[in-house]
């Protein structure tokens, strides 16, 4: 009995394996519907991340007390809910990723939980992502920054602090 593999046997095995994968993929797709995007859910992990990141991004604009931080978190949440569902899912995935201890340490460089992380370490992590060589991390930084800033300054009650009189009144 020969133990060497002939080219014909190799090709047959390749074709059979390919057909088996296509069949298994088709069965999986028929039995499992594709994920439909859902609205962003501000769970405890996402709330903790936003409560840690928002005061650093809005440094000087808000007080570090509970009411201002909670207002920033809620405004950011409302801003996220105004985005398309596919984008909300991506943001949900980002917060889920950042909530994991291993990825928080590896990607953000934070050893403490989000609630216990010192603002200086969070500021350093945000700065690293802002100028990181990977475009993905820069994009994530800018998304976080714009969501928090947009949510905060999108509220009319914050305009006085920056001297913005508001949009021009329509001519009547």
């Amino acid at each position: 009995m020969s133990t060497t593999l002939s080219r014909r046997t190799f090709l047959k095995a390749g074709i059979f394996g390919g057909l088996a994968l296509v069949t298994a993929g088709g069965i999986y797709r028929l039995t499992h519907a594709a994920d439909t995007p859902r609205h962003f859910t501000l769970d405890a992990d996402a709330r903790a991340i936003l409560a840690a990141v928002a005061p650093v991004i809005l440094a000087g604009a808000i007080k570090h007390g509970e009411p201002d931080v909670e207002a920033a978190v809620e405004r950011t949440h409302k801003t996220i809910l105004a985005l398309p569902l596919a984008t909300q899912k991506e943001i949900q995935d980002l917060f889920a990723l950042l909530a994991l201890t291993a990825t928080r340490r590896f990607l953000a460089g934070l050893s403490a939980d989000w609630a216990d992380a010192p603002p200086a370490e969070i500021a350093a992590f945000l700065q690293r992502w802002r100028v990181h060589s990977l475009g993905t991390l820069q994009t994530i930084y800018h998304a976080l920054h714009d969501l928090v800033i947009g949510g905060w300054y999108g509220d009319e009650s914050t305009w006085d602090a920056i001297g913005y009189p508001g949009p021009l009144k329509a001519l009547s």
Side-chain angles (χ1 to χ4, degrees):
M1 180 170 150
S2 172
T3 58
T4 60
L5 183 66
S6 71
R7 182 175 5 163
R8 181 175 298 228
T9 303
F10 178 76
L11 290 174
K12 285 180 183 176
I15 291 171
F16 179 74
L19 288 174
L21 286 175
V22 167
T23 303
I27 290 171
Y28 179 82
R29 183 52 49 209
L30 288 174
T31 58
H32 295 80
D35 246 1
T36 55
R38 289 175 273 160
H39 287 284
F40 176 80
T41 304
L42 186 62
D43 57 13
D45 291 332
R47 183 174 294 278
I49 294 168
L50 279 176
V53 169
V56 173
I57 291 175
L58 293 168
I62 67 170
K63 300 174 191 110
H64 280 275
E66 183 72 28
D68 276 2
V69 172
E70 186 59 32
V73 168
E74 288 303 320
R75 289 173 182 160
T76 304
H77 183 213
K78 286 180 183 175
T79 302
I80 293 170
L81 291 177
L83 297 171
L85 290 179
T87 306
Q88 291 182 38
K89 181 183 181 327
E90 290 176 0
I91 295 169
Q92 190 85 60
D93 292 345
L94 171 65
F95 284 121
L97 182 71
L98 289 174
L100 296 173
T101 302
T103 52
R104 184 191 68 237
R105 286 178 186 232
F106 178 71
L107 289 176
L110 298 173
S111 57
D113 286 339
W114 286 100
D116 300 327
E121 287 186 21
I122 293 172
F125 130 72
L126 289 171
Q127 179 61 19
R128 280 193 305 273
W129 280 23
R130 190 176 78 80
V131 296
H132 203 278
S133 60
L134 291 176
T136 301
L137 294 181
Q138 287 184 14
T139 301
I140 294 170
Y141 164 79
H142 289 293
L144 278 174
H145 180 269
D146 291 353
L147 287 170
V148 171
I149 294 288
W152 184 257
Y153 289 112
D155 190 297
E156 189 174 336
S157 66
T158 62
W159 295 349
D160 283 341
I162 58 173
Y164 178 60
L168 296 174
K169 303 290 183 227
L171 297 175
S172 54

